[in-house]
C-alpha cells in the first residue's frame, strides 16, 4: 500500500470539498475548474445567472452527473463522491431538494415524509417494516413545515408553495449531513418566501446547507456567506454586501 | 407475524373479492358434481373449464398489475412468464403419460420419438416428479425475470424502451419454442395429457378441482400482492412509479425494487400458466405471441390499473366478452371490438371499470386545494408576521440593485 496521502487541512476539515471540477456537455463547459470548500455546520448561498452551473454543481455532488475531471470529496475527504451513485450518496447523508418541487403525488403527506425518513432502504427491510415510533417524528416534521393538519391529504393536491415545504420536510426527515436546496422560494409569494427563509435558518442550526437561489432578497435574509458562480467557476465569495459591491459581479449581472 | 401481515392488508373491497372467490371455489364445483344435469342449477363441465381458464387469466392480469400498476413497469411480454409456467406444467404432464403415448416409449414423449431422439434431453430430467415441476413453475419465470430485470433496470431502461425489449423477449422465446430441436414439441407444443397427480385430467372431478385451485391461487396471489403493496416497500414502488429519480435521491436502490417486483410478478404469472395448461389441455408456442401479452395489458387497463382487484375483474370481463363474441356471427369483429374497448376505456375510464365505484380509502381530512398555507406555516415556525410589500425581490438576480435596499431581517 502506498503511504497515506497528506491531504491539505482544507480537505480534512471540510464536509464537502470540490477541486478543479469540470463538466462538459457536447463541448459546452457547464462547470469549469470549479472549486468549493464547505465547512461542517456551514450554510452557504450560491447565486449566479442562468447557465452559471448551479444545478450542474448539485448534479455532480449528488452523483447524477460524473465530472470529467476534478475531485469531489465528502466528510473530511474520506469519501470520493465521484465513485458513488445517487442512492449511495443519499445514504451517505446528502439530501437534495429539486428546483421544481417533486413530491410523490399519489402518496399522502405523511407517507411522503415516511419514505424520506432516515432508516432502512432495502427491499427486505421495507417488506416487513412495521411502524413504531415514526408517527411522532413525522408529526414533529409536519408541524415544523406547517402541514400537520393535512397529513392524510394526497401530496398531489397541495399548492406549489406547500409542495416546496413538504420537500423541505422530506429533507429534514432524511436528517442528512448536507442539504442541497435548489431554488426553495421559486414561485412563492413574499410571505411564503420569508417563512421559508426562517425555516431554512432553523434547519441550518444543526445541518450543513447549500442553498442555490436567484432571489437576492431571500439570500440577504439568510445572512450567510455567498458564492457567486459564473460560467462554471467561482466569480466571487463573501458576504452578500461584499459580493454585491464586487465590480466583476456587477458587471456579470448588469452587463447582460 | 407474517400471517398477520397478510391478513390485515386487505380492505373491505378486498374481503368481498376474497369471499366471492372462496364461494366460487366451493359452490361452482358442487353445482357441477352433485347437482344432476337436469336441474337448472347444474353448472356444466364446459362452463367450469371455461371459468377456470378465466381465473388463470385473472391471476396473470393481477401479476401484471403488480408490476405495471404499482411500479410503472409496462411489461409487454408478461405472456412469456405465463407460457413458461405453462410449459413447466406441460413437461410434468408429458412425463406422466409414460408408455401410454402413441409410440408407447416408457420415457420419451411422442414428439421426441417422432424426431428420432434416443434419449431425454437433460432439461427434461426431474419433470416426472411433481414437486420438482412445481419448483420449476416458479423458478423458470422467476429466474428469467430476475436476470432480465437485473440488467434492464440497472441500465435504467425505462418507459417505452423497456416495453419494447419485454416484447422482444417474448417474441424471441416464441421463435425458439417453435423450433423442433428446442425440445419442447415445436409448433405443436405439448398436449395429449393423461394424468395429473394420478387423477385423470379429463375427468369431471379433476376439472372441478382445478377450478377450485385456480380460485384459491387467485385469492392467494391477491393476498401476496396486497401485502406487498400495503407494505412500506409497496409505498416505495409507487414512489418509483411516480418519481423515479426522486426516489433514488432519497437513497432507495430503484433497480432492486423493480427487479423484486418484476420477479415476483413473473412467478405469479408462471403459476397462472401452470394452472391454465391442464385445464385447456395444451401448451404451444402461440402462448408467447406478442399479441397475447398486449391483451393482458388491455385487461388490466379495462379493469383498473393499480387496483389489483380491477385487473382480475378486467381479465374475467374481457375474456367473458371474448367468449360471447367469438361463438356468434360477430366473431370476425372481435379484435375490432377489443381495440375499441381499449381506446374507449383509455379515453373515458382512465381508472378502469373499478374506477366507476367510489374510492375506498377515507382521506380523513377534506381535500381543499386552496387552503391558507402561509399563515399556518408562519404560526408553526413561530416567525413574526410578515411585512407586506417587500416585493422588490421579484426582479431577481441583481445584486447591484438589491444592495441598494436596506438589509431586512437577520
Amino acid at each position: 500500500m502506498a503511504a497515506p496521502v497528506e491531504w491539505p487541512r482544507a480537505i480534512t476539515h471540510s464536509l464537502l470539498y470540490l477541486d478543479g471540477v469540470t463538466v462538459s456537455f457536447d463541448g459546452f463547459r457547464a462547470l469549469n475548474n470549479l472549486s468549493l470548500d464547505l465547512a461542517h455546520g456551514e450554510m452557504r448561498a450560491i447565486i449566479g445567472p442562468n447557465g452559471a452551473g448551479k444545478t450542474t454543481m448539485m448534479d455532480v455532488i449528488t452523483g447524477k452527473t460524473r465530472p470529467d475531471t476534478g475531485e469531489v470529496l465528502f466528510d473530511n475527504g474520506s469519501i470520493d463522491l465521484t465513485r458513488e451513485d445517487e442512492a449511495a450518496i443519499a445514504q451517505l447523508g446528502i439530501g437534495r431538494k429539486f428546483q421544481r418541487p417533486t413530491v410523490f403525488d399519489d402518496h399522502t403527506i405523511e407517507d411522503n415524509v415516511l419514505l424520506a425518513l432516515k432508516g432502512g432502504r432495502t427491499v427486505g427491510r421495507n417488506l416487513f417494516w412495521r411502524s413504531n415510533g415514526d408517527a411522532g417524528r413525522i408529526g414533529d416534521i409536519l408541524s415544523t413545515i406547517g402541514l400537520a393538519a393535512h397529513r392524510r391529504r394526497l401530496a398531489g393536491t397541495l399548492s406549489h408553495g406547500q409542495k416546496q415545504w413538504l420537500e423541505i420536510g422530506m429533507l429534514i426527515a432524511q436528517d442528512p449531513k448536507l442539504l442541497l436546496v435548489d431554488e426553495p422560494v421559486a414561485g412563492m409569494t413574499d410571505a411564503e418566501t420569508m417563512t421559508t427563509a426562517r425555516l431554512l435558518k432553523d434547519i441550518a442550526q444543526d445541518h450543513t446547507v447549500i442553498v442555490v437561489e436567484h432571489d437576492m432578497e431571500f439570500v440577504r435574509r439568510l445572512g450567510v456567506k455567498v458564492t457567486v458562480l459564473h460560467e462554471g467557476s467561482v466569480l466571487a465569495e463573501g458576504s452578500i454586501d461584499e459580493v454585491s459591491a464586487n465590480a466583476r459581479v456587477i458587471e456579470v449581472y448588469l452587463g447582460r | 407475524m407474517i400471517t398477520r401481515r397478510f391478513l390485515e392488508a386487505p380492505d373491505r373491497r378486498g374481503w368481498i373479492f376474497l369471499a366471492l372467490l372462496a364461494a366460487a371455489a366451493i359452490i361452482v364445483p358442487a353445482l357441477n358434481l352433485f347437482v344432476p344435469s337436469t336441474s337448472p342449477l347444474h353448472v356444466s363441465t364446459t362452463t367450469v373449464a371455461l371459468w377456470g381458464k378465466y381465473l388463470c387469466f385473472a391471476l396473470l392480469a393481477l401479476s401484471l398489475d403488480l408490476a405495471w400498476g404499482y411500479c410503472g413497469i409496462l411489461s409487454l411480454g408478461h405472456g412469456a412468464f405465463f407460457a413458461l409456467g405453462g410449459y413447466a406444467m406441460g413437461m410434468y404432464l408429458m412425463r406422466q403419460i409414460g408408455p401410454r403415448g402413441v409410440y408407447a416409449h416408457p420415457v420419451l414423449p411422442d414428439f421426441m420419438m417422432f424426431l428420432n431422439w434416443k434419449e431425454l434431453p437433460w432439461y427434461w430430467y426431474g419433470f416426472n416428479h411433481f414437486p420438482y415441476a412445481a419448483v420449476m413453475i416458479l423458478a423458470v419465470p422467476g429466474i428469467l425475470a430476475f436476470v432480465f430485470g437485473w440488467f434492464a433496470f440497472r441500465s435504467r431502461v425505462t418507459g417505452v424502451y423497456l416495453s419494447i425489449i419485454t416484447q422482444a423477449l417474448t417474441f424471441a422465446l416464441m421463435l425458439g419454442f417453435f423450433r423442433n430441436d428446442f425440445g419442447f414439441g415445436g409448433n405443436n407444443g405439448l398436449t395429449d395429457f393423461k394424468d395429473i397427480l394420478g387423477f385423470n385430467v379429463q375427468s369431471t372431478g379433476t376439472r372441478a378441482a382445478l377450478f377450485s385451485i385456480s380460485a384459491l391461487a387467485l385469492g392467494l396471489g391477491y393476498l401476496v400482492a396486497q401485502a406487498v403493496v400495503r407494505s412500506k416497500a409497496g409505498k416505495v414502488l409507487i414512489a418509483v412509479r411516480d418519481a423515479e429519480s426522486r426516489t433514488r435521491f432519497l437513497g432507495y436502490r430503484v433497480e432492486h425494487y423493480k427487479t423484486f417486483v418484476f420477479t415476483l410478478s413473473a412467478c405469479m404469472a408462471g403459476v397462472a400458466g401452470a394452472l391454465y395448461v391442464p385445464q385447456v389441455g395444451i401448451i404451444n408456442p402461440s402462448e408467447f405471441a406478442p399479441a397475447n401479452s398486449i391483451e393482458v395489458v388491455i385487461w388490466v387497463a379495462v379493469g383498473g390499473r393499480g387496483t389489483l382487484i380491477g385487473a382480475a375483474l378486467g381479465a374475467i370481463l374481457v375474456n367473458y366478452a371474448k367468449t360471447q363474441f367469438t361463438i356468434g356471427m360477430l366473431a370476425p369483429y372481435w379484435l375490432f371490438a377489443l381495440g375499441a374497448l381499449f381506446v374507449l376505456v383509455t379515453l373515458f375510464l382512465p381508472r378502469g371499470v373499478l374506477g366507476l365505484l367510489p374510492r375506498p380509502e377515507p382521506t380523513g381530512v377534506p381535500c381543499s386545494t386552496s387552503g391558507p398555507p402561509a399563515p399556518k406555516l408562519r404560526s408553526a415556525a413561530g416567525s413574526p408576521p410578515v411585512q407586506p410589500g417587500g416585493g422588490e425581490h421579484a426582479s431577481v438576480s441583481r445584486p447591484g440593485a438589491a444592495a441598494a435596499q436596506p438589509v431586512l431581517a437577520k
Side-chain angles (χ1 to χ4, degrees), chain A residues 47-48 62-64 85-88 90-91 94-98 102-107 111-112 114-117 120-123 126-130 143-146 149-154 157-159 162 165 167 170-171 174 188 190-196 198-199 201-202 214-218 220-223 241 243-244 249-250 253-254, chain B residues 1-2 4-6 8 156 227-228 231-257 260 359 362-374 376-378 380-384 386-410:
Chain A
I47 61 171
T62 53
K64 193 179 175 194
D85 67 4
E86 295 102 313
Q91 287 175 24
I94 298 183
R96 177 175 187 180
K97 197 205 85 65
F98 287 81
T102 27
V103 295
F104 305 121
D105 284 353
D106 260 12
H107 277 311
D111 278 352
N112 269 274
L114 172 69
L115 286 174
L117 215 54
R121 292 293 195 247
T122 61
V123 179
N126 287 321
L127 269 180
F128 298 104
W129 171 91
R130 296 195 76 82
S143 341
T144 308
I145 57 172
H150 306 277
R151 58 190 302 160
R152 287 188 181 279
R153 256 173 72 180
L154 291 183
T157 66
L158 292 178
S159 72
Q162 286 173 320
W165 287 327
E167 228 192 330
M170 289 164 75
L171 269 187
Q174 273 179 274
M188 280 191 174
D190 294 352
E192 288 171 334
T193 301
M194 293 204 198
T195 319
T196 308
R198 187 157 288 275
L199 194 56
K201 279 167 83 172
D202 260 10
H214 271 312
D215 185 331
M216 293 308 298
E217 196 48 51
F218 175 75
R220 179 172 300 281
R221 188 167 294 270
L222 291 178
D241 292 322
V243 300
S244 306
V249 173
I250 294 170
Y253 272 96
L254 299 181
Chain B
M1 181 198 128
I2 290 175
R4 220 176 80 205
R5 159 114 258 158
F6 275 90
E8 75 189 16
R156 300 193 184 173
V228 168
S231 72
K232 192 177 168 194
K235 294 183 200 291
V236 178
L237 292 177
I238 294 175
V240 169
R241 179 191 73 189
D242 292 345
E244 182 171 332
S245 74
R246 185 78 185 87
T247 317
R248 203 172 266 131
F249 282 115
L250 283 180
Y252 293 98
R253 294 224 164 268
V254 166
E255 60 275 19
H256 291 187
Y257 282 85
F260 161 73
R359 240 191 158 143
T363 32
V365 176
C367 298
S368 75
T369 44
S370 54
K376 214 160 243 155
L377 177 72
R378 221 166 34 243
S383 67
V386 168
Q387 201 176 313
E392 225 67 18
H393 74 259
S395 56
V396 290
S397 311
R398 296 183 58 186
Q405 291 184 353
V407 180
L408 281 173
K410 183 73 198 250

Side-chain angles (χ1 to χ4, degrees), chain B residues 131-196:
Chain B
Y132 177 80
V135 169
M136 287 299 135
I137 284 164
L138 291 170
V140 173
I143 291 171
L144 176 68
F146 181 83
V147 172
F148 177 89
W150 179 257
F151 286 107
F153 301 136
R154 213 180 48 151
S155 316
R156 300 193 184 173
V157 180
T158 54
V160 67
Y161 301 100
L162 185 86
S163 300
I164 289 168
I165 60 170
T166 54
Q167 180 104 92
L169 172 78
T170 193
F171 190 70
L173 283 168
M174 181 181 74
L175 296 181
F177 275 78
F178 262 126
R179 297 170 60 97
N180 278 329
D181 54 10
F182 219 56
F184 298 99
N187 60 342
N188 294 319
L190 310 175
T191 186
D192 287 332
F193 308 134
K194 309 278 190 231
D195 293 341
I196 180 166

Side-chain angles (χ1 to χ4, degrees), chain A residues 95-99 101 164 167-168 171 180-184:
Chain A
R96 177 175 187 180
K97 197 205 85 65
F98 287 81
Q99 195 168 342
Q164 296 268 32
E167 228 192 330
I168 292 173
L171 269 187
L180 304 176
V181 188
D182 201 351
E183 301 207 15

Side-chain angles (χ1 to χ4, degrees), chain B residues 27-37 41-48 204-205 207-208:
Chain B
I27 295 168
V28 172
L31 292 180
N32 170 244
L33 294 174
F34 305 123
V35 174
S37 54
L41 286 175
H42 176 77
V43 176
S44 74
T45 306
T46 327
T47 312
V48 171
T204 345
R207 287 184 169 278

Side-chain angles (χ1 to χ4, degrees), chain A residues 10 17 31 38 56 59 62 121 137 141-142 144 146 149 158 165 178 197 209 219 247 252:
Chain A
Y17 181 86
L31 291 183
L38 195 71
T56 309
D59 287 347
T62 53
R121 292 293 195 247
R137 174 100 179 96
I141 291 167
L142 290 180
T144 308
L158 292 178
W165 287 327
L178 172 64
V209 183
V219 171
V252 163

Side-chain angles (χ1 to χ4, degrees), chain B residues 259-398:
Chain B
T259 308
F260 161 73
V261 78
F262 194 60
T263 306
L264 176 64
S265 165
C267 290
M268 286 168 64
V271 172
L275 288 168
Y276 170 82
V277 166
Q279 298 188 72
V280 296
I282 184 169
I283 173 80
N284 65 30
S286 67
E287 294 297 337
F288 286 105
N292 282 22
S293 295
I294 292 172
E295 218 171 297
V296 184
V297 173
I298 299 179
W299 305 339
V300 176
V302 167
R305 179 189 166 201
T307 58
L308 297 179
I309 298 178
L313 290 181
I316 294 172
L317 214 65
V318 175
N319 279 293
Y320 180 75
K322 183 180 187 172
T323 308
Q324 296 306 314
F325 234 91
T326 47
I327 52 175
M329 48 187 272
L330 288 171
Y333 307 107
W334 163 245
L335 281 179
F336 293 103
L338 184 67
L341 182 69
F342 186 51
V343 170
L344 291 175
V345 164
T346 313
L347 284 178
F348 299 110
L349 289 177
R351 284 172 53 222
V353 174
L354 214 67
L356 292 173
L357 303 173
R359 240 191 158 143
E361 305 98 324
T363 32
V365 176
C367 298
S368 75
T369 44
S370 54
K376 214 160 243 155
L377 177 72
R378 221 166 34 243
S379 59
S383 67
V386 168
Q387 201 176 313
E392 225 67 18
H393 74 259
S395 56
V396 290
S397 311
R398 296 183 58 186

